[in-house]
Amino acid sequence: MPSPAFFPHTTKYRYANALFLAKCAQLAYQPPEAIHTQMMKWGIPHVAFFDRQGTQAFVLGHDDFIVVAFRGTEPRSLKDWMTDKQIIRKRGPYGKVHRGFLKSVNTVWNDIQNAIMSFQDKGQSLWFTGHSLGAALATLAVAKMGEDAKPVHGLYTFGQPRVGGKTFARNFNLDFKAQTFRFVNNSDIVTRVPRRVLGYRDVGQVLYFDSAGMLHDDVHWWNQFLDRIKGHVDDLGKVGTDGLKDHSMVKYVKNLKHKDNRSFLVSS
């Protein structure tokens, strides 16, 4: 088993899984050489890298589990994904989804499926993760797996923008809400776009870090966040705002490592 520990046979929230997948999401920003070096340190024998038309991801293969991690993007670049042309929803898995996100995941999807089939020689469990844009692509990838009736043990996302409309969210949650954990760090503005007024909806179970880095999953804390954030896509270009500082993957990993979050249990 690699270090840090990982529990491959559960669909319930586990701290060790959250931390490991967060590190994978962070690692996705690194060049292949750095990722491969880390896999060797973790004792993971197989890793495949993909870069197609700017969409980047890696798939790691362990004897007990497989992880697909999508690379994210800088907030300024993410703003390009929130233009009127991109946010128009088109038919996708489980319903209508963000046009730009769907196009991006489709560029690497065949490669990722082939890597999963190549590594999944012992019935290993399958996991997806990503930060920012990578989180949106990971969510769409899980939806594509679901439409093909293929099992996914867990989806852990960090700073995820919304992916689809009401029908998508309903259908996705019917299959995957129980094993989908969507981390939101305090005032992270990226988690509020595209806006609900445009028909977009959230999926999964929200796990919210407050301003002190403490983790919550109850409605009270989530409602406080909604009341505090009046996010607009234009804010994505304003470097230095709290909403962008809180979007950093470094902060997500730091908060997860907080000693009081190690024993956190999802209440549902």
Side-chain angles (χ1 to χ4, degrees):
M1 180 174 289
S3 179
F6 192 81
F7 296 87
H9 303 303
T10 181
T11 58
K12 296 181 179 180
Y13 176 83
R14 294 296 295 262
Y15 168 75
N17 293 7
L19 183 59
F20 181 76
L21 292 171
K23 289 183 175 181
C24 287
Q26 186 176 34
L27 196 59
Y29 286 97
Q30 298 300 313
E33 297 79 12
I35 297 173
H36 186 265
T37 297
Q38 186 61 60
M39 293 302 114
M40 293 179 64
K41 291 180 179 178
W42 284 343
I44 295 175
H46 306 297
V47 60
F49 306 96
F50 307 104
D51 186 348
R52 303 283 186 270
Q53 301 177 36
T55 300
Q56 297 174 307
F58 72 85
V59 181
L60 66 84
H62 183 269
D63 285 346
D64 296 320
F65 60 88
I66 293 169
V67 173
V68 181
F70 288 87
R71 178 178 176 142
T73 188
E74 296 299 322
R76 283 184 172 181
S77 298
L78 187 65
K79 185 178 179 181
D80 295 335
W81 294 86
M82 298 302 153
T83 63
D84 291 342
K85 180 180 179 180
Q86 296 284 11
I87 65 174
I88 293 174
R89 296 194 304 279
K90 64 178 296 184
R91 186 174 182 82
Y94 286 156
K96 291 186 176 180
V97 299
H98 186 286
R99 176 180 180 179
F101 295 160
L102 182 62
K103 180 180 179 181
S104 184
V105 76
N106 282 343
T107 63
V108 295
W109 186 239
N110 287 338
D111 294 325
I112 286 174
Q113 284 185 299
N114 289 336
I116 292 171
M117 288 188 290
S118 174
F119 295 162
Q120 206 168 33
D121 57 349
K122 300 178 182 178
Q124 292 97 326
S125 58
L126 182 59
W127 304 77
F128 288 80
T129 190
H131 168 250
S132 191
L133 170 64
L137 302 186
T139 300
L140 276 176
V142 170
K144 291 169 80 69
M145 294 292 292
E147 279 214 325
D148 288 339
K150 295 179 180 178
V152 173
H153 267 63
L155 168 65
Y156 286 64
T157 67
F158 306 88
Q160 177 192 326
R162 296 181 178 119
V163 170
K166 184 185 295 184
T167 299
F168 169 83
R170 181 183 66 244
N171 292 335
F172 183 95
N173 283 337
L174 282 173
D175 284 345
F176 293 114
K177 183 175 182 178
Q179 60 261 56
T180 295
F181 305 99
R182 183 169 54 87
F183 288 83
V184 174
N185 182 37
N186 195 30
S187 300
D188 184 348
I189 194 65
V190 174
T191 65
R192 310 310 307 153
V193 297
R195 291 172 293 166
R196 289 178 62 87
V197 71
L198 297 175
Y200 280 83
R201 296 293 183 268
D202 297 307
V203 297
Q205 303 173 71
V206 64
L207 300 179
Y208 169 65
F209 292 114
D210 64 25
S211 58
M214 298 297 296
L215 198 55
H216 306 270
D217 68 345
D218 59 89
V219 175
H220 167 70
W221 285 100
W222 181 239
N223 284 340
Q224 280 197 358
F225 171 73
L226 293 178
D227 289 341
R228 200 166 59 248
I229 298 299
K230 307 297 181 184
H232 188 276
V233 64
D234 290 345
D235 292 333
L236 291 173
K238 298 178 181 177
V239 177
T241 64
D242 286 341
L244 292 186
K245 290 178 181 178
D246 286 342
H247 185 57
S248 166
M249 190 61 209
V250 173
K251 282 200 170 184
Y252 277 96
V253 173
K254 180 181 178 181
N255 286 343
L256 267 177
K257 289 181 176 179
H258 192 293
K259 62 182 179 64
D260 292 330
N261 289 333
R262 296 172 187 173
S263 59
F264 176 83
L265 297 174
V266 174
S267 59
S268 59

